[in-house]
Amino acid sequence: MDEQETRIASLEASNSDLRGELRETRHEIRLALRFIENGDTGSAQSLLHRLSISATEK
């Protein structure tokens, strides 16, 4: 593989990783919204707090 092909493969892998993280984040946000709809704001707050810490660490 030449340098350009290696770079493309690396970018494709990074893109795939980011899509996976985005999918997980969307799932957790939908879950938090369900908690809120059911009146469980404490669980929603805990989940969103955990999510914000995770985002800060990245």
Side-chain angles (χ1 to χ4, degrees):
M1 227 186 256
D2 68 12
E3 185 178 333
Q4 186 175 13
E5 289 173 330
T6 301
R7 180 75 177 134
I8 290 170
S10 174
L11 289 171
E12 287 174 344
S14 293
N15 186 41
S16 179
D17 291 346
L18 290 172
R19 286 179 186 264
E21 288 178 25
L22 178 59
R23 193 171 20 259
E24 289 176 28
T25 301
R26 285 179 174 162
H27 172 76
E28 294 206 354
I29 291 171
R30 282 192 298 269
L31 183 58
L33 289 172
R34 260 186 256 132
F35 283 142
I36 292 168
E37 288 172 352
N38 292 329
D40 188 356
T41 56
S43 292
Q45 186 175 18
S46 295
L47 180 61
L48 292 174
H49 180 70
R50 218 173 45 237
L51 189 60
S52 71
I53 290 171
S54 175
T56 303
E57 291 173 348
K58 293 178 182 175

